[in-house]
Amino acid sequence: MSAILVPVVVLGGLGLLFGFSLGFASKAFAVETDPKADEIRKVLPGANCGACGYPGCDGCAVAIAEGNAPVSACIVGGSSVAEKIADIMGTDAGNVVREVATVLCQGDCSKAKNKYAYAGLRDCRAQNILAGGSKACSYGCLGCGTCVDVCDFDAIHIVNGVALVDKEKCVACQACIKVCPKGIIELVPYDNEVVVKCKSNDPGKVVRKNCSIGCIGCQICVKNCPENAFSFENNLARINYEKCTNCGICVGKCPTGAIFSGLEQLKENVQ
Amino acid sequence: MNLFTILISTIFVKNYVFAQFLGICPFLGVSNKTETATGMGLAVTFVVTLSSVITWVIQKTILDKFGLQYLQTIVFILVIASLVQFVEMFLKKSSPNLYKALGVYLPLITTNCIVLGVAILNIEQKYNIIETIVNSLGASIGFAIALLLMAGIREKFDFADIPKPLQGFPIGLITSGLMAIAFLGFYGIV
């Protein structure tokens, strides 16, 4: 009898001892969490992409619950998530403009000239170290696809030597924007079809020599825009997306095609 | 055997990862960044040392007394599991970032064979309590060193031109094999 009883008592006793001490420890080391933060965390997408600027979705949820971040802090979730969070926080979501990353360069293999043939590591950051990359234009997309590698959402691809963002898939997490050594990827409102797809600050003559689709600084778009949405500095036209109505007049007037009206160009690419 | 010899031999000559092949799972799993590797090394050091002491005391005072040596494995695992739970709670409270970085590998210290291995080997080698502490401390320092070395090397992988079929895990295995061979060089010190 004791052959069974002794081990049972010993093991049971040890189990109880450890159980109680763990129970005590869990009280002593209890971490208080905000119930609001837990609820918000459940609503967030959970991709932990860090686009909000906080370490993962947990950090973002805590910041929103504490009032340090707006209810629309999650860029990926967009307006639907913002509304749900606003419900939890008991505030109004407001109007959230959906933005997508856009590559401001169209200088693909057929349009932009190279100054040397690059045969090193397939990484834009590495190529950029070698005299600013192989493109003759020092502002253009190098096309090695470092942005493609960092995209968690399969939203950016290299098409004919230049990165192109898939607007439907992009969630504006800014991973590609942070990694691009040329800084040519920017957030643009989703509804905006008219974008100056060039970042070159070179004078028009140099741009023409290097690339057939760059902004040469002729300012035709600035003069023709009925909404005065254009500004012009450093040899480059810029659109104020709040004023732009997507009328497309500038797209037709632009002599080089540097102003990109999304849909038509994309259709051409597909064909 | 004096204490210094035990310490040096467990850290280098009988390194638990490279010479005895215990604790390979976290060695490969948490060695991506030196920061998390350090945290994991410290957590394992704490668990191994404390669990070895507690299991030694339990073995001598309870199991040997009642002739229950056959309960060794289950009792030791009970001790280890409770300690890991405790470490988890402690880390969650004191260092949430490290807690997140270690992730699933923290509760998996429970099933890390280095912890049970050291506890059982201490009894088998008939060490006294001081030797037990030194041996388990040496074992966990050896583990931490292995983890840190591996993490340091793996961080360099990002900048290396590794052939595509070997990228990621395969090159990690090859590296750890080469490191184990390198550690063979310590044979004969003790």
Side-chain angles (χ1 to χ4, degrees):
Chain A
M1 190 62 193
S2 69
I4 298 174
L5 213 57
V6 172
V8 167
V9 169
V10 167
L11 206 54
L14 283 173
L16 276 176
L17 180 71
F18 290 128
F20 274 119
S21 43
L22 274 184
F24 179 74
S26 74
K27 284 262 166 60
F29 291 106
V31 180
E32 274 185 36
T33 50
D34 191 338
K36 266 184 188 169
D38 290 340
E39 272 184 60
I40 294 171
R41 177 64 190 83
K42 277 180 203 151
V43 178
L44 289 171
N48 288 320
C49 63
C52 51
Y54 296 96
C57 293
D58 288 333
C60 183
V62 172
I64 296 174
E66 285 171 355
N68 293 332
V71 290
S72 58
C74 181
I75 301 161
V76 175
S79 54
S80 63
V81 169
E83 273 167 30
K84 284 182 202 158
I85 295 174
D87 277 348
I88 296 169
M89 295 294 289
T91 52
D92 194 28
N95 199 8
V96 182
V97 179
R98 183 182 167 191
E99 290 187 313
V100 287
T102 308
V103 181
L104 300 183
C105 179
Q106 299 183 93
D108 59 26
C109 301
S110 59
K111 298 189 182 90
K113 294 194 179 73
N114 284 335
K115 58 180 176 232
Y116 66 87
Y118 178 75
L121 205 61
R122 297 305 292 168
D123 189 307
C124 297
R125 290 164 293 185
Q127 194 187 344
N128 192 34
I129 296 169
L130 272 177
S134 62
K135 276 252 166 78
C137 169
S138 60
Y139 300 91
C141 172
L142 300 174
C144 276
T146 301
C147 46
V148 180
D149 294 340
V150 297
C151 184
D152 284 335
F153 303 91
D154 190 36
I156 191 163
H157 299 283
I158 302 294
V159 178
N160 198 14
V162 166
L164 190 67
V165 176
D166 184 339
K167 272 179 114 173
E168 303 308 319
K169 284 185 182 167
C170 179
V171 295
C173 71
Q174 306 187 26
C176 52
I177 295 177
K178 283 173 199 150
V179 84
C180 179
K182 293 291 190 189
I184 53 166
I185 310 179
E186 283 183 7
L187 283 182
V188 170
Y190 176 82
D191 295 327
N192 215 293
E193 299 290 352
V194 180
V195 181
V196 180
K197 281 210 162 184
C198 183
K199 286 277 275 186
S200 172
N201 290 336
D202 286 333
K205 207 177 159 189
V206 180
V207 175
R208 262 206 198 284
K209 206 176 80 188
N210 293 335
C211 175
S212 65
I213 198 164
C215 174
I216 53 172
C218 63
Q219 303 196 43
I220 289 178
C221 49
V222 182
K223 287 167 199 150
N224 281 290
C225 181
E227 307 290 331
N228 280 327
F230 277 92
S231 61
F232 186 81
E233 54 183 301
N234 293 330
N235 301 313
L236 187 64
R238 280 195 78 90
I239 297 178
N240 182 343
Y241 298 118
E242 281 175 15
K243 285 186 188 168
C244 178
T245 56
N246 288 319
C247 67
I249 292 173
C250 53
V251 180
K253 295 278 183 190
C254 181
T256 59
I259 305 180
F260 170 87
S261 177
L263 290 170
E264 288 154 27
Q265 188 77 33
L266 276 178
K267 275 179 202 158
E268 270 176 39
N269 280 352
V270 171
Q271 282 160 6
Chain B
M1 212 195 285
N2 69 40
L3 297 176
F4 185 69
T5 323
I6 294 179
L7 190 67
I8 293 298
S9 74
T10 42
I11 294 178
F12 294 111
V13 184
K14 289 192 291 175
N15 186 295
Y16 275 76
V17 176
F18 291 131
Q20 312 205 35
F21 310 114
L22 294 172
I24 301 290
C25 168
F27 168 68
L28 291 169
V30 204
S31 58
N32 287 324
K33 280 190 209 152
T34 44
E35 200 188 352
T36 48
T38 317
M40 186 69 177
L42 288 175
V44 168
T45 306
F46 179 78
V47 173
V48 168
T49 314
L50 210 56
S51 69
S52 294
V53 173
I54 296 176
T55 50
W56 190 88
V57 171
I58 288 178
Q59 174 83 21
K60 297 294 168 193
T61 56
I62 300 173
L63 297 189
D64 283 353
K65 216 170 203 173
F66 294 103
L68 295 173
Q69 282 87 350
Y70 63 91
L71 282 180
Q72 196 188 46
T73 314
I74 191 168
V75 170
F76 283 15
I77 283 291
L78 190 66
V79 173
I80 294 164
S82 316
L83 270 176
V84 171
Q85 279 291 312
F86 177 76
V87 171
E88 204 179 335
M89 282 182 228
F90 180 76
L91 274 186
K92 202 173 180 180
K93 176 92 176 176
S94 63
S95 171
N97 282 337
L98 183 60
Y99 173 78
K100 269 180 220 148
L102 290 175
V104 71
Y105 290 99
L106 189 57
L108 278 181
I109 297 179
T110 314
T111 53
N112 185 351
C113 42
I114 199 171
V115 188
L116 185 64
V118 172
I120 289 179
L121 284 175
N122 282 333
I123 308 295
E124 262 181 23
Q125 299 279 337
K126 300 198 166 51
Y127 284 146
N128 64 31
I129 184 77
I130 305 291
E131 285 167 338
T132 296
I133 294 172
V134 172
N135 185 51
S136 36
L137 206 59
S140 37
I141 290 173
F143 176 79
I145 287 177
L147 206 59
L148 260 179
L149 288 176
M150 187 67 177
I153 295 175
R154 279 187 118 172
E155 280 185 346
K156 298 261 189 276
F157 282 175
D158 291 344
F159 307 105
D161 194 10
I162 301 164
K164 200 154 194 192
L166 296 182
Q167 274 171 17
F169 211 65
I171 194 75
L173 287 174
I174 293 171
T175 310
S176 41
L178 289 175
M179 286 167 80
I181 294 172
F183 265 71
L184 272 179
F186 289 114
Y187 261 57
I189 284 185
V190 179

